[in-house]
Amino acid sequence: MADLGAIAIDASTCTRCTLSGSRTQVVFGMGDPGADLLFVGEGPGADEDAAGLPFVGRSGKLLDRLIGEEMGRTRADCYIANVVKCRPPDNRDPRPDEMAACRPWLELQLDHVDPRVVVTLGNVATRALLGGTEGITRLRGRTYPWRNRVLVPTYHPAAVLRGNPEAMAGMRADLVRAALALSAAQREPTG
Ligand code: URA
């Protein structure tokens, strides 16, 4: 089975959807390929498109801060991916056909990293993995069994940055939830 580095090289020339025509570069993902914790965001923004790395702009800075404060980790101890690997123009939501075309890359990341806990950031990522149409405000605040793993939905950091103090408190609580799920997973044999 090809390793994630080889898969990222394959993905770097992907033309499975029209986002390939407007991207600067593919933002495949980053972090520890053996991490027990994987974050899934929506898709690259302008900063990520320029850097080739996920969550390097304002949202990413907040994510780093909250991972540190609530989980005692850095992004090097996690793997960070997005539902789509190329920037949607004008930061619009990715379309269903784009998410479907990109899905095999995310599935390869999930298979290879094989995390115990997956944290989905915002509506797009949460619906992409959990299915359904329910919004993040209703879905967050609990954990979900998902593919023999634990899924923890939380707000997208961009929503927290828009200045809602309840979202900040909610995201902090969700990350504590994820940390507890990781501790519980460490006490159990892997399945
Ligand atoms: N927002 C996302 O959903 N993903 C990124 O990588 C950056 C911002």
Side-chain angles (χ1 to χ4, degrees), residues 27 40-49 53-60 80-84 121 125 156-158:
V27 179
V40 184
E42 179 176 321
D47 294 319
E48 292 76 22
D49 179 65
L53 296 169
F55 283 102
V56 293
R58 286 185 69 222
S59 289
I80 306 183
N82 278 306
V83 173
V84 294
L121 301 165
H156 193 286

Side-chain angles (χ1 to χ4, degrees), residues 1-7 107-108 110-114:
M1 190 157 64
D3 69 17
L4 260 189
I7 293 165
E107 293 296 337
L108 283 167
L110 286 161
D111 285 352
H112 277 71
V113 177
D114 194 20

